[in-house]
Every structure is written in C-alpha cells, then in structure tokens.
Amino acid sequence: MGGGVRMLFQGILMDCFQKINQERTSSSVYNLLIGKKAIQTIQDARFYHIADYYGIYPGLAKDDYRIQLNQLIELDYLREDNEKKIQITKKGKSWLASCKTNLDGFAGAKYANVMETFKQRLLLFIQTITNTSKKQYLFIPISDNHEAEQFVKGFYKQYKQRSKEVLQQLYKELEKALSGLTDLEASMFVDRITSYYSYGSSLQQLSQDYQLSIQDCFLILQKGFYRLLRVQEHDNDYLMLKHFTKNLYISDTPLSQTAQHTLRLLQKKHSFKEIVQIRRLKANTIQDHLVEIAMHEMEFPFFDYLNSTIYEEIKEVVHSKQSYRLKEIKNNVNPDISYFQIRLALVLYNK
Amino acid sequence: MRIIHLEEALYRHFNYDFFRQGQKEIISDVLCGKDVLGVLPTGSGKSICYQLPAKLLDGITIVVSPLISLMIDQVKELKAAGFKDVIALNSFLPFMEQQRALNNLDSYRLIYVSPEWLQKRKHQNYLKQLPIKLFVVDEAHCISQWGHEFRPDYQRLHEVIEALNHPPVLALSATATPDVQTDIIHSLNKPDMKRHIYPMDRNNIAFCVEEVENDQEKLDRIVEMTKSYFIPVLIYFTSRQIAEETALSLSVKLPKRNIAYYHGGMEASERLRIQQQFMNNQIDIICCTSAFGMGINKSDIRLVVHYHLPLQIESYIQEVGRAGRDGESSVGVILYHKGDFRLSANMVKNELPSMEVIDRLITTILTCQSTQVDLPSPEQLHILLDINEGAARFIQRQLQKYGLIKDNEWFIDEKKWKQVRESIVQYLEKRQLYKNDKLNELYRWVQTGDCLRKTLYQPFQDGFGDPTDQCCSNCGFDWNKWVPESLFKIPEASSPINWRKKLQKVLNMEEV
Ligand SMILES: [Zn+2]
C-alpha cells in the first residue's frame, strides 16, 4: 500500500483534509477538485495551500467522490464529525506520509483557464496530423469542441506541408517532457493519444491495463498534461507545445465576470457605496467581489477597509487559535469587526 | 440515362461501386418526387436511400430519426466521410449552438431532427422557410402502435408534413410487418405511397439457440466459443451492470484478447473511443447493451451472442443483423435459461407505469396545486415518481393527449381527470397485453423445435432465401464446420518501459 501511483486519488483527498485541518466540510474538497468558481472555494485553495489541486478533476461525480471518502473513513484514515467536518487520524497521517512524493506534479489553479482547451487542441491536432500525413483525410474526430476544431484547422493549414517535420518536433518535445514522469505515467499518457496508428484507450481500458482505479488513471493523465503545460512555460525548447496555449490566458485563478465588473468600477475610483448603487446589488455581494479581487490583484487597497489595529487583532487570533475559521475568529475579536474585514485580513495575511 | 448517372453519383459521393438490393429502385422513385415506403433488411444501407438524394436534390432533406445517439453518430460518420453540410437538431443541443444552427439552416443539405424537436411550433416555422425537397421518416415502424418501438410523436408527423406543404415523403424501416406497413401509410396520410418491400432474411447468418442451466454456464459457453475464434464479436445484454461484469470476467479468462464494454451510461467521448477501436480492430469482443450498434458500420462482425434476449422479435432481428454485413458467413447465438423469461417479463412490466402510479401522480399534483407548492415540470415527472424513462414518457403522452399537459405545463383538474381516467386505463391494458404478446412470441420462437430461420421470418414475409452456410441449431449446426477467417493476431505484450517506442508509432515515426 502507498507505493507507486496506486491510491493517487485517495492520497490527494487525504492531503487536502490534512491541510484543511477540520475547518471545512467534505464538500469543500469536492468543490476544489471540480474547480468550482465560487469565492469560498478559491479562497480555500489559497488559504490551505491546496491550490495545485484546484480543478484537477472537473468531471468528478459527487457519488464517486463520496464513495472514496467513505472508504477512507472506513479505513479509519479520516473521521467525519457531526458538522460534517473531516479530520485526519493518526493512522491516516502516517499512511499519507508514506506516499507523499507521488502527489506532486499538479498545478490546478495556475492552469485552470487553460487546461481543457490545451488538452483538446493538442489531442485533436495529433489525430489530424497523423491521419493526414498518411493521406487519410476522413476520420472521426476525438473532440467536437468547436473552439479546438477551429484552432486545429488554422494550425494545420499553417503546417500541413511540413507534417513530417512537425511530427518529429512533436516527438522530440513530448519525449523530453514525458521523460520527467515515471515510465508508467508516460506510457499511460501515450496510450490515451488517438492517432492514425490507433484510437486512444478509454479510461476503463487504462484502468484494466494498468490495474489502477479509473480515478487514478484520470489523475495520472492530468498530471501528464500539467507537466506539458509547465515545461512549455518555463523552457524554450518546447516551441510546438507552446503553440497550443496560444491566446490562452494563464492566471492563478479565474476572476468571475461579475467581479471583473466591480473591479472596473473600483479602478474608476468609485467608492464602495457608489458601486453598490451603480450595480444595484446587495452590499454583501459587492463585498464578496472585493474579497475575490483582493486575492487576484497585486495592489488592492486593503487599508481602505481595514486599519492596522484591526488587522493586527485578527492576525493575533489566527496565531493563537491556529485557525482560519471565520466564525472562530469572529468570536474572538472585537464585535465591531465584520466578517468582511476578517476575510480581507486573511487574504492580506496570506499574500 | 438516369441509371448511369446514379451509379456515378454513388461512386462520386460515397465511394461505393454499386447499389445494394433495393437502393436504386427507391432512390429513382424518390428523385422523381414520389412518396415511397421502403422496407429493407438491417445492414443493407438504408441510409443511402436518402443520403444520396440529399446530395442530388436541389434543396434540403429532412430526416426524422427516433434516437438521438444514432442521429449524432450518423452525422459524425457523414462528416468524416466528407459530407459536411449536415446537422443533427435535437433538444440536447446547447442553446447557443442551436441558435447558430437555426440562423443558418439554409446552409445545410441534410438535417436530422428528433420527433420531439419537430413538434415545437417555433422549429416548424424555421423549417417552413426552407426549400425542403424530401422528408424522410427513418425507422418508420415507430409510427405504428403495433410496431415494437412505438413513438407517439411519430403519429403526428402527418401534421408536420402538411405544415411543410407536402414535400415528397420517404418512409424507411427494417422491421415492418405487413400490418405495420399499412399503418405507416395510413398514419402519414399518403395512400398512394409506392411500396418497395424487400425480404429481410439474412442468408449468411446461422442461428443457434443454446439452453443452459445458469448464468455461469453462459459465461463458460462464451469463453469456449471465443477462445478459438479470433473474430469481431458482439455480446448483447439488457443490464449495463452485467455487461460490465461479464467484460471483466472475460478479460480475466481470455487475457490475450481485447475486450471492452459499451452501454448508454458511459460518457459520450468514452463510448466513441470504444466504438472506433472496434472499427479499427483494436478490440475484438464487446459486451454491450442495445445502445451499441445503431450507427455502427462495421461489416465484418462475425458472431453476435445474446446473453440476454431483447423484448421482441423485431429487436432481435435488428441486433443479430449487425453480423456479417459483408455477406460472409456469420453466426447468431442465443444463450438462455429458464430464469430469463421472468427477467424479461419484469422488464416489460416496468416499461409501462401501473395505474396506481398514475393515480398517485394526479393526487400529488392536485394537492400541490391546492396548497400552491411548486411542482416540477411535466418533463421532469420522473422526479416525482420512481419509475423508468419509458414509463414516464407514457404518462406524459397520455396526459398530453387529453390536454392535461400543454406546452410542458400541468393542466390538471379533478373533473377532467375523472372523465379521461377510464380511457387511459383501457389504453394501458391494451399496451400491456400487446407487449406481453410480443415477449411470448419471442420466447415461443426461441423454444421452437422447428427451423429457426423459417419461424423467425414467418411474421414478416413468405419464404426466405437458402442459407449460404449452415442454417440453424434445429437443422443441425456444427461448430467444427464453421471456420471464419481470423482477423486478430495475439498482441505482443507491451511494457510501460517501452513507451517511447509506442510514442514513435503513434506519431508515425519510422522506428529507429
Ligand atoms: Zn434451419
């Protein structure tokens, strides 16, 4: 148990719950994994240092998540209290320590906006170019995503005369990038690719071939894609791969549309009250936006809403109580300090 | 000169060298603007009968198709084959895509629609603007109450045809008994329809029925059968779960074979992978439910095994008909034991709601209405009741028919319900009887001591062609004499360490 990539999914769950340390319910981790665009989720990702897992499993079914969780509870690795908050047990901690190294390699929050499109573009392009270079112009595309199709069409037009070169370069880059993974991870990644030579394996098939759970297979594939995204960003040897991120905006976490609107008003120097009036939204909602913006923007005017005494007081409680739980903090500071101020203070504290 | 012209067109547009039986006759009449009823056996390329006209007619061809997944598969295949101006319209299309499509309908040649989609007045108005040159009713037996896949929306197609100002109509089916044929013509209100009826028997398929003691023996038989034959095999199940489990047990018992499962509960992109791998001969055995095969054009499936039987003969004929489309010798095997009938009878029962369930629904709605509690819409009535999709659809249609549901809103009052209840009771009983009869007919056939070929096709036609190979297990079937060509080699074992080699193959690189 614990070795290799087996139990990757469980490992990630355990890691999350250990870091959250009984401050959130079980659904918070589910929301994290599917990449829910809620302020609470984005904030959790930051505060608890689990942003790398943000959105790594968009299609995860709630039932499957619950099944895994229940298994871990049954094994006595985790415990669920009456408020549905999850606590990691001693047994769980030592189990987790034994498989720690395998959990690296994700960069969920960082590539949240990019991942799906990058994946679709790359896979569809490989299918297209390997088929056409064998004079096979008729094939059923692996993805019917409109955006990916348009992108691949344009890219293909540009390179169709040099398909051999393109394939060689692609091999060079994929080989180099995948070499940073284990053989098993690389092998699984290659099996998933659809090309002229073969139609890629389904998750079910990978699960059978590698004797791993479907979830673990999915996450291992994701790891492969995160690896590709990372190398193309940091290394100039990956010209082809870089191309597949064209026009995609890499940011740490997405700022919601509605918060962007508020941000624009803020940049025009409107006051909080004015923004509430202009947008005809509740003050609470605008506060949510401000917290979201505060997490994103390098220069957020924290001290328009806090003063240093308030900030210090909150910081003090976080230290003494070793907790980010809003309610707990609220109960231990001056009653005049609002939840909004506490949330902002926590953002600042984590910056 | 039309004949030469047609064959050329067939080659130019679809790359086929010649027409199969019936296709040319039907297409010629369609191109002359006649209303046509075509009954062609499964696997004979029914769709060419409208796909080629769609290419040749100066206007748009509409195809009504009952199964959305089938529709989507066909569009994918057509696109892959270079037929680009085609689209499938149905209620599952995302709103934006639907709008984009609706605003550009005149840029398509071939438009597939679901019957539900077509019922919407708004959609009809879009279609009315178009130069529609052919209106195709695919799987036309769905029109008839006596057809095995009765779809009430199909019965209102004549209204749509009228609204579209009577374009030529082509109705197609693979399984229509003479009664059903008459029903189709009557319901479409086209008495002068020209009938092109072709025999549906498949002389290259041998039929074998094997009685076993239990499910374990079914599995053992499948292992025995597939152990020595390296050919594409389909195994049909009525339960998704058993399909999955059997695929896994088979993989354990036949470790060198590529075995997969396929059913409607899987994600669409995963289903596509399995389907395409099967087409590419990367998989040899598929354990599937009836969701598989509709749009599949694999011509060299050699063996179709029924681990579970469907619920009527027509479905069996369709499923077994996926074998041997290339005309080569193929076999259909039915494995059954005494307990199977009860299982099937249970499924038949669950396909229709019980009257108690309907009564309970009405009471719930009346209570909610009087207490002003929010109700789910009629399309979501399965949330109120724990029943299967078919049964929910039955209730919707019945309430619609009597005006108790209009435009996806409830219009239920106690008085009206009392008036119509008895009619619904009677209709429900009639449908139950019909479905039970169909099931009994199928099991009578399975248990017959007579020639299986003769008795299978009897309800549909007089006589049948001589089998090209062996006939059936009742006429004496010998496995030793069945030697289909092996399609698969035993795959070489690959180890993860060799991933670079695989990547080279995947990227068409010559091996270094
Ligand atoms: Zn016979």
Side-chain angles (χ1 to χ4, degrees):
Chain A
M1 204 195 302
V5 281
R6 210 165 284 273
M7 311 286 194
L8 178 57
F9 186 40
Q10 285 100 324
I12 290 172
L13 296 185
M14 296 285 290
D15 192 28
C16 289
F17 286 116
Q18 181 171 44
K19 286 177 173 151
I20 290 178
N21 193 17
Q22 216 188 341
E23 294 187 1
R24 291 268 178 274
T25 63
S26 63
S27 61
S28 66
V29 171
Y30 175 75
N31 292 338
L32 176 86
L33 295 175
I34 63 166
K36 191 170 174 190
K37 288 194 175 75
I39 292 161
Q40 186 67 68
T41 306
I42 295 169
Q43 217 167 8
D44 284 352
R46 289 293 185 83
F47 286 173
Y48 300 113
H49 302 286
I50 44 180
D52 281 348
Y53 300 137
Y54 177 82
I56 61 173
Y57 206 150
L60 177 62
K62 193 129 204 190
D63 289 347
D64 291 339
Y65 171 74
R66 196 62 233 189
I67 289 168
Q68 293 290 346
L69 202 58
N70 288 344
Q71 268 176 20
L72 293 169
I73 292 169
E74 240 162 71
L75 286 166
D76 197 32
Y77 289 171
L78 294 176
R79 252 177 237 144
E80 191 167 23
D81 69 16
N82 296 338
E83 293 173 287
K84 296 215 158 189
K85 301 215 161 79
I86 305 276
Q87 184 189 9
I88 186 165
T89 63
K90 249 203 185 114
K91 202 172 159 194
K93 274 182 193 164
S94 68
W95 177 82
L96 185 57
S98 72
C99 70
K100 192 91 189 172
T101 48
N102 305 314
L103 304 177
D104 296 335
F106 295 95
K110 172 150 202 209
Y111 297 114
N113 293 330
V114 180
M115 180 65 157
E116 264 316 299
T117 319
F118 173 76
K119 219 158 104 175
Q120 306 238 18
R121 286 174 173 184
L122 177 66
L123 292 178
L124 187 60
F125 181 74
I126 294 178
Q127 188 189 17
T128 307
I129 193 103
T130 54
N131 272 287
T132 53
S133 78
K134 291 274 184 188
K135 306 264 178 292
Q136 179 58 261
Y137 297 99
L138 309 173
F139 54 90
I140 297 197
I142 188 83
S143 145
D144 37 23
N145 176 305
H146 186 70
E147 195 281 335
E149 211 175 286
Q150 290 306 313
F151 173 86
V152 169
K153 263 185 197 160
F155 195 27
Y156 171 70
K157 246 184 218 147
Q158 207 177 326
Y159 287 100
K160 65 178 168 194
Q161 305 303 335
R162 307 185 348 228
S163 60
K164 203 163 177 181
E165 254 170 81
V166 168
L167 283 166
Q168 261 163 3
Q169 180 63 21
L170 207 52
Y171 175 78
K172 226 170 80 188
E173 294 183 20
L174 285 176
E175 194 273 336
K176 190 173 170 200
L178 297 178
S179 293
L181 301 169
T182 66
D183 282 336
L184 183 143
E185 289 164 344
S187 173
M188 195 183 277
F189 191 91
V190 174
D191 285 348
R192 180 74 168 171
I193 298 175
T194 292
S195 70
Y196 171 79
Y197 167 71
S198 65
Y199 220 86
S201 298
S202 71
L203 288 172
Q204 175 58 42
Q205 290 170 321
L206 292 176
S207 151
Q208 248 173 287
D209 294 348
Y210 291 86
Q211 292 296 304
L212 293 168
S213 74
I214 286 190
Q215 287 98 354
D216 284 354
C217 291
F218 179 80
L219 290 168
I220 290 170
L221 292 172
Q222 290 288 85
K223 213 167 157 178
F225 285 107
Y226 286 120
R227 165 117 194 120
L228 300 188
L229 278 168
R230 249 204 324 261
V231 294
Q232 62 81 32
E233 197 184 342
H234 298 299
D235 189 333
N236 286 330
D237 284 352
Y238 297 94
L239 295 172
M240 285 294 289
L241 291 182
K242 200 177 278 304
H243 210 105
F244 294 102
T245 60
K246 203 173 169 182
N247 298 330
L248 297 180
Y249 172 62
I250 298 179
S251 86
D252 272 11
T253 36
L255 193 59
S256 65
Q257 289 276 329
T258 175
Q260 281 176 29
H261 194 166
T262 300
L263 173 62
R264 280 194 295 274
L265 294 173
L266 205 62
Q267 283 162 342
K268 286 183 190 156
K269 304 281 178 223
H270 286 291
S271 71
F272 179 81
K273 269 194 181 148
E274 285 167 354
I275 296 175
V276 172
Q277 277 170 359
I278 295 169
R279 297 216 55 194
R280 293 164 194 266
L281 291 171
K282 285 191 194 133
N284 270 337
T285 311
I286 301 297
Q287 288 176 349
D288 282 346
H289 295 169
L290 293 180
V291 174
E292 198 183 337
I293 293 165
M295 287 193 287
H296 276 83
E297 294 298 301
M298 293 304 283
E299 288 163 34
F300 183 82
F302 285 97
F303 291 99
D304 287 3
Y305 309 94
L306 300 166
N307 61 44
S308 53
T309 334
I310 294 177
Y311 178 60
E312 289 304 322
E313 189 177 343
I314 295 169
K315 219 165 96 179
E316 195 60 31
V317 174
V318 172
H319 277 289
S320 64
K321 296 282 166 194
Q322 280 295 303
S323 169
Y324 289 133
R325 286 164 78 172
L326 297 179
K327 203 164 175 203
E328 181 137 20
I329 298 171
K330 175 85 170 127
N331 290 340
N332 288 285
V333 294
N334 187 322
D336 292 341
I337 298 178
S338 69
Y339 274 112
F340 172 55
Q341 287 171 318
I342 297 172
R343 285 163 66 196
L344 278 182
L346 289 178
V347 174
L348 183 59
Y349 180 72
N350 275 282
K351 275 230 161 177
Chain B
M1 285 295 101
R2 168 138 268 164
I3 290 165
I4 295 164
H5 172 71
L6 272 185
E7 252 127 29
E8 264 178 26
L10 180 70
Y11 184 74
R12 191 168 65 239
H13 294 296
F14 294 94
N15 217 2
Y16 293 132
D17 291 319
F18 51 84
F19 285 105
R20 300 225 203 147
Q21 186 186 41
Q23 288 174 338
K24 191 159 66 185
E25 291 80 354
I26 291 175
I27 292 171
S28 303
D29 276 349
V30 163
L31 291 176
C32 294
K34 287 182 192 156
D35 295 321
V36 177
L37 168 64
V39 179
L40 292 168
T42 347
S44 62
K46 266 189 307 158
S47 37
I48 284 292
C49 296
Y50 58 83
Q51 286 168 354
L52 185 60
K55 275 283 178 195
L56 300 178
L57 287 165
D58 182 24
I60 293 172
T61 297
I62 305 277
V63 182
V64 186
S65 175
L67 265 177
I68 291 171
S69 57
L70 169 65
M71 194 187 309
I72 293 169
D73 280 353
Q74 288 202 339
V75 168
K76 272 196 186 132
E77 267 174 49
L78 282 170
K79 282 191 171 163
F83 195 146
K84 300 283 181 194
D85 27 15
V86 49
I87 189 167
L89 297 173
N90 55 65
S91 20
F92 289 100
L93 215 57
F95 180 78
M96 290 302 285
E97 265 178 58
Q98 163 119 292
Q99 275 312 315
R100 189 163 56 204
L102 283 175
N103 293 327
N104 294 299
L105 277 184
D106 54 354
S107 65
Y108 298 100
R109 270 186 176 275
L110 184 52
I111 301 176
Y112 284 87
V113 295
S114 67
E116 292 80 1
W117 189 92
L118 200 52
Q119 290 306 326
K120 296 240 162 77
R121 189 55 51 83
K122 184 185 123 194
H123 296 154
Q124 289 179 19
N125 286 337
Y126 273 101
L127 295 181
K128 272 188 210 166
Q129 319 289 323
L130 304 173
I132 294 172
K133 291 292 153 67
L134 179 60
F135 187 91
V136 182
V137 183
D138 203 6
E139 312 295 340
H141 53 264
C142 295
I143 286 181
S144 169
Q145 284 193 43
W146 315 119
H148 61 290
E149 288 164 326
F150 174 48
R151 292 283 293 260
D153 276 334
Y154 261 61
Q155 288 200 327
R156 298 172 64 184
L157 287 179
H158 67 98
E159 294 165 19
V160 182
I161 291 169
E162 197 180 312
L164 297 178
N165 212 6
H166 291 282
V169 175
L170 168 62
L172 289 168
S173 171
T175 50
T177 58
D179 286 351
V180 172
Q181 293 164 21
T182 311
D183 248 17
I184 293 171
I185 293 174
H186 180 77
S187 171
L188 289 174
N189 206 5
K190 297 275 174 195
D192 297 327
M193 236 178 181
K194 186 135 183 230
R195 296 188 192 211
H196 286 278
I197 313 297
Y198 293 89
M200 59 196 300
D201 61 292
R202 296 283 307 279
N203 56 6
N204 63 322
I205 301 179
F207 301 95
C208 294
V209 172
E210 292 188 18
E211 193 175 341
V212 295
E213 286 302 317
N214 49 43
D215 283 352
Q216 182 55 44
E217 277 190 17
K218 286 188 182 179
L219 186 65
D220 295 344
R221 276 298 295 141
I222 292 172
V223 172
E224 270 175 71
M225 277 187 274
T226 49
K227 209 164 50 189
S228 43
Y229 292 117
F230 289 74
I231 50 176
V233 179
L234 275 185
I235 307 174
Y236 275 102
F237 298 80
T238 49
S239 145
R240 291 171 179 178
Q241 198 194 335
I242 299 179
E244 284 190 18
E245 287 168 5
T246 310
L248 296 179
S249 338
L250 278 178
S251 304
V252 173
K253 300 203 172 193
L254 304 165
K256 300 219 162 118
R257 308 298 284 277
N258 291 310
I259 299 160
Y261 63 76
Y262 181 108
H263 58 66
M266 291 156 62
E267 205 201 312
S269 64
E270 297 286 292
R271 280 205 313 253
L272 181 68
R273 282 176 189 272
I274 301 297
Q275 196 175 304
Q276 288 309 108
Q277 290 174 14
F278 192 49
M279 296 291 290
N280 277 357
N281 290 339
Q282 290 170 244
I283 292 177
D284 38 350
I285 301 172
I286 292 196
C287 297
C288 62
T289 62
S290 60
F292 188 80
M294 290 301 211
I296 295 284
N297 272 328
K298 190 170 174 60
S299 63
D300 55 5
I301 299 172
R302 285 282 156 267
L303 179 61
V304 172
V305 179
H306 277 81
Y307 185 103
H308 293 138
L309 277 166
L311 303 181
Q312 59 277 311
I313 278 189
E314 285 88 342
S315 306
Y316 176 74
I317 290 177
Q318 259 177 9
E319 289 170 5
V320 77
R322 311 235 148 83
R325 292 191 175 182
D326 56 4
E328 298 290 321
S329 174
S330 305
V331 177
V333 178
I334 292 168
L335 299 173
Y336 92 103
H337 60 70
K338 293 261 156 39
D340 284 347
F341 181 79
R342 214 182 43 231
L343 192 82
S344 300
N346 227 347
M347 290 183 63
V348 166
K349 203 174 136 210
N350 290 331
E351 276 194 331
L352 290 171
S354 68
M355 207 53 216
E356 291 83 76
V357 165
I358 305 182
D359 282 331
R360 202 172 69 224
L361 172 75
I362 301 289
T363 317
T364 311
I365 292 170
L366 285 171
T367 328
C368 287
Q369 277 174 348
S370 64
T371 52
Q372 309 217 315
V373 174
D374 269 351
L375 278 168
S377 74
E379 269 170 19
Q380 295 180 312
L381 69 83
H382 60 273
I383 295 172
L384 284 170
L385 309 164
D386 184 24
I387 52 174
N388 82 15
E389 208 184 313
R393 205 161 50 210
F394 178 92
I395 300 179
Q396 280 165 20
R397 300 304 176 212
Q398 286 303 303
L399 296 183
Q400 237 163 27
K401 184 166 147 194
Y402 296 106
L404 298 172
I405 293 178
K406 278 182 225 158
D407 293 330
N408 203 22
E409 300 264 1
W410 301 103
F411 282 89
I412 293 182
D413 68 75
E414 217 161 343
K415 204 173 133 212
K416 195 140 190 227
W417 170 243
K418 278 194 180 131
Q419 286 166 0
V420 303
R421 189 179 178 280
E422 193 47 36
S423 316
I424 294 181
V425 170
Q426 281 175 15
Y427 182 67
L428 185 61
E429 278 171 9
K430 203 165 85 177
R431 287 306 290 170
Q432 275 161 347
L433 271 178
Y434 171 74
K435 284 182 180 250
N436 285 330
D437 282 352
K438 295 302 288 182
L439 185 66
N440 288 326
E441 183 190 19
L442 176 68
Y443 274 86
R444 264 202 312 279
W445 173 69
V446 167
Q447 288 168 321
T448 181
D450 212 348
C451 170
L452 289 168
R453 179 180 309 275
K454 185 178 115 194
T455 40
L456 180 63
Y457 295 120
Q458 225 156 30
F460 301 93
Q461 66 194 45
D462 299 325
F464 55 88
D466 284 338
T468 56
D469 199 345
Q470 304 186 59
C471 178
C472 70
S473 49
N474 288 345
C475 295
F477 183 88
D478 184 351
W479 285 98
N480 294 321
K481 287 187 187 143
W482 190 54
V483 261
E485 192 189 337
S486 286
L487 259 181
F488 300 100
K489 293 187 202 89
I490 294 175
E492 46 188 306
S494 86
S495 144
I497 298 171
N498 297 328
W499 65 266
R500 289 182 179 82
K501 221 176 199 170
K502 271 193 294 189
L503 184 60
Q504 284 167 359
K505 273 190 194 161
V506 158
L507 295 178
N508 298 350
M509 317 256 306
E510 273 64 50
E511 284 189 35
V512 191

mmCIF file of all heavy atoms in Angstrom, chain B residues 207 450-455 464 467 470-476, ligand 1:
data_model
loop_
_atom_site.group_PDB
_atom_site.id
_atom_site.type_symbol
_atom_site.label_atom_id
_atom_site.label_comp_id
_atom_site.label_asym_id
_atom_site.label_seq_id
_atom_site.Cartn_x
_atom_site.Cartn_y
_atom_site.Cartn_z
ATOM 1 N N PHE B 207 -28.409 -19.356 -37.156
ATOM 2 C CA PHE B 207 -28.994 -19.079 -35.837
ATOM 3 C C PHE B 207 -28.829 -20.270 -34.906
ATOM 4 O O PHE B 207 -29.148 -21.392 -35.282
ATOM 5 C CB PHE B 207 -30.480 -18.755 -35.981
ATOM 6 C CG PHE B 207 -30.738 -17.580 -36.869
ATOM 7 C CD1 PHE B 207 -31.026 -17.746 -38.222
ATOM 8 C CD2 PHE B 207 -30.649 -16.292 -36.357
ATOM 9 C CE1 PHE B 207 -31.243 -16.650 -39.040
ATOM 10 C CE2 PHE B 207 -30.862 -15.186 -37.180
ATOM 11 C CZ PHE B 207 -31.161 -15.368 -38.524
ATOM 12 N N ASP B 450 -38.813 -26.287 -34.533
ATOM 13 C CA ASP B 450 -38.828 -26.118 -35.976
ATOM 14 C C ASP B 450 -37.595 -25.328 -36.431
ATOM 15 O O ASP B 450 -36.849 -24.817 -35.611
ATOM 16 C CB ASP B 450 -40.104 -25.323 -36.320
ATOM 17 C CG ASP B 450 -40.660 -25.723 -37.674
ATOM 18 O OD1 ASP B 450 -39.945 -26.431 -38.423
ATOM 19 O OD2 ASP B 450 -41.795 -25.314 -37.965
ATOM 20 N N CYS B 451 -37.410 -25.189 -37.744
ATOM 21 C CA CYS B 451 -36.270 -24.419 -38.257
ATOM 22 C C CYS B 451 -36.349 -22.978 -37.759
ATOM 23 O O CYS B 451 -37.360 -22.296 -37.922
ATOM 24 C CB CYS B 451 -36.276 -24.445 -39.782
ATOM 25 S SG CYS B 451 -35.076 -23.299 -40.494
ATOM 26 N N LEU B 452 -35.271 -22.501 -37.133
ATOM 27 C CA LEU B 452 -35.281 -21.155 -36.542
ATOM 28 C C LEU B 452 -35.382 -20.068 -37.603
ATOM 29 O O LEU B 452 -35.993 -19.023 -37.383
ATOM 30 C CB LEU B 452 -34.008 -20.948 -35.710
ATOM 31 C CG LEU B 452 -33.926 -21.744 -34.410
ATOM 32 C CD1 LEU B 452 -32.512 -21.684 -33.840
ATOM 33 C CD2 LEU B 452 -34.921 -21.197 -33.380
ATOM 34 N N ARG B 453 -34.771 -20.314 -38.731
ATOM 35 C CA ARG B 453 -34.809 -19.321 -39.807
ATOM 36 C C ARG B 453 -36.239 -19.141 -40.311
ATOM 37 O O ARG B 453 -36.751 -18.037 -40.429
ATOM 38 C CB ARG B 453 -33.886 -19.770 -40.945
ATOM 39 C CG ARG B 453 -33.842 -18.842 -42.141
ATOM 40 C CD ARG B 453 -32.892 -19.384 -43.201
ATOM 41 N NE ARG B 453 -31.612 -19.701 -42.599
ATOM 42 C CZ ARG B 453 -30.628 -18.806 -42.417
ATOM 43 N NH1 ARG B 453 -30.780 -17.584 -42.847
ATOM 44 N NH2 ARG B 453 -29.514 -19.152 -41.838
ATOM 45 N N LYS B 454 -36.871 -20.280 -40.582
ATOM 46 C CA LYS B 454 -38.225 -20.247 -41.120
ATOM 47 C C LYS B 454 -39.165 -19.511 -40.149
ATOM 48 O O LYS B 454 -39.892 -18.599 -40.532
ATOM 49 C CB LYS B 454 -38.700 -21.691 -41.329
ATOM 50 C CG LYS B 454 -40.058 -21.809 -41.990
ATOM 51 C CD LYS B 454 -40.421 -23.273 -42.211
ATOM 52 C CE LYS B 454 -41.637 -23.612 -41.371
ATOM 53 N NZ LYS B 454 -41.865 -25.055 -41.268
ATOM 54 N N THR B 455 -39.099 -19.910 -38.878
ATOM 55 C CA THR B 455 -40.043 -19.346 -37.909
ATOM 56 C C THR B 455 -39.733 -17.887 -37.550
ATOM 57 O O THR B 455 -40.626 -17.136 -37.225
ATOM 58 C CB THR B 455 -40.061 -20.191 -36.615
ATOM 59 O OG1 THR B 455 -38.719 -20.589 -36.316
ATOM 60 C CG2 THR B 455 -40.896 -21.428 -36.805
ATOM 61 N N PHE B 464 -38.069 -17.630 -47.587
ATOM 62 C CA PHE B 464 -36.772 -16.990 -47.333
ATOM 63 C C PHE B 464 -35.742 -17.633 -48.253
ATOM 64 O O PHE B 464 -35.966 -18.726 -48.792
ATOM 65 C CB PHE B 464 -36.357 -17.163 -45.874
ATOM 66 C CG PHE B 464 -36.335 -18.592 -45.421
ATOM 67 C CD1 PHE B 464 -35.185 -19.371 -45.575
ATOM 68 C CD2 PHE B 464 -37.466 -19.178 -44.854
ATOM 69 C CE1 PHE B 464 -35.173 -20.690 -45.160
ATOM 70 C CE2 PHE B 464 -37.441 -20.506 -44.448
ATOM 71 C CZ PHE B 464 -36.303 -21.268 -44.600
ATOM 72 N N PRO B 467 -29.879 -20.588 -47.046
ATOM 73 C CA PRO B 467 -28.687 -20.132 -46.325
ATOM 74 C C PRO B 467 -27.416 -20.420 -47.118
ATOM 75 O O PRO B 467 -27.315 -21.458 -47.771
ATOM 76 C CB PRO B 467 -28.707 -20.943 -45.025
ATOM 77 C CG PRO B 467 -29.668 -22.064 -45.251
ATOM 78 C CD PRO B 467 -30.634 -21.617 -46.299
ATOM 79 N N GLN B 470 -24.340 -22.847 -42.895
ATOM 80 C CA GLN B 470 -25.260 -23.676 -42.125
ATOM 81 C C GLN B 470 -26.533 -22.883 -41.798
ATOM 82 O O GLN B 470 -26.520 -21.665 -41.790
ATOM 83 C CB GLN B 470 -24.579 -24.133 -40.842
ATOM 84 C CG GLN B 470 -23.260 -24.858 -41.109
ATOM 85 C CD GLN B 470 -22.656 -25.426 -39.845
ATOM 86 O OE1 GLN B 470 -23.282 -26.247 -39.174
ATOM 87 N NE2 GLN B 470 -21.447 -25.024 -39.526
ATOM 88 N N CYS B 471 -27.630 -23.615 -41.517
ATOM 89 C CA CYS B 471 -28.903 -22.926 -41.323
ATOM 90 C C CYS B 471 -29.132 -22.534 -39.870
ATOM 91 O O CYS B 471 -29.113 -21.364 -39.519
ATOM 92 C CB CYS B 471 -30.054 -23.796 -41.813
ATOM 93 S SG CYS B 471 -31.672 -23.025 -41.537
ATOM 94 N N CYS B 472 -29.352 -23.497 -39.001
ATOM 95 C CA CYS B 472 -29.653 -23.160 -37.605
ATOM 96 C C CYS B 472 -29.428 -24.385 -36.728
ATOM 97 O O CYS B 472 -29.236 -25.490 -37.222
ATOM 98 C CB CYS B 472 -31.091 -22.670 -37.473
ATOM 99 S SG CYS B 472 -32.317 -23.968 -37.726
ATOM 100 N N SER B 473 -29.499 -24.168 -35.413
ATOM 101 C CA SER B 473 -29.219 -25.283 -34.500
ATOM 102 C C SER B 473 -30.306 -26.352 -34.597
ATOM 103 O O SER B 473 -30.039 -27.526 -34.321
ATOM 104 C CB SER B 473 -29.053 -24.779 -33.073
ATOM 105 O OG SER B 473 -30.108 -23.933 -32.707
ATOM 106 N N ASN B 474 -31.515 -25.982 -34.967
ATOM 107 C CA ASN B 474 -32.562 -27.008 -35.110
ATOM 108 C C ASN B 474 -32.387 -27.833 -36.381
ATOM 109 O O ASN B 474 -32.864 -28.952 -36.453
ATOM 110 C CB ASN B 474 -33.944 -26.377 -35.062
ATOM 111 C CG ASN B 474 -34.278 -25.910 -33.655
ATOM 112 O OD1 ASN B 474 -33.612 -26.306 -32.689
ATOM 113 N ND2 ASN B 474 -35.277 -25.061 -33.533
ATOM 114 N N CYS B 475 -31.754 -27.248 -37.380
ATOM 115 C CA CYS B 475 -31.459 -28.019 -38.588
ATOM 116 C C CYS B 475 -30.115 -28.738 -38.446
ATOM 117 O O CYS B 475 -29.675 -29.419 -39.366
ATOM 118 C CB CYS B 475 -31.426 -27.119 -39.820
ATOM 119 S SG CYS B 475 -33.008 -26.364 -40.207
ATOM 120 N N GLY B 476 -29.450 -28.532 -37.318
ATOM 121 C CA GLY B 476 -28.151 -29.164 -37.092
ATOM 122 C C GLY B 476 -27.015 -28.200 -37.374
ATOM 123 O O GLY B 476 -26.712 -27.924 -38.536
HETATM 124 ZN ZN ZN C 1 -32.935 -24.095 -40.030
#
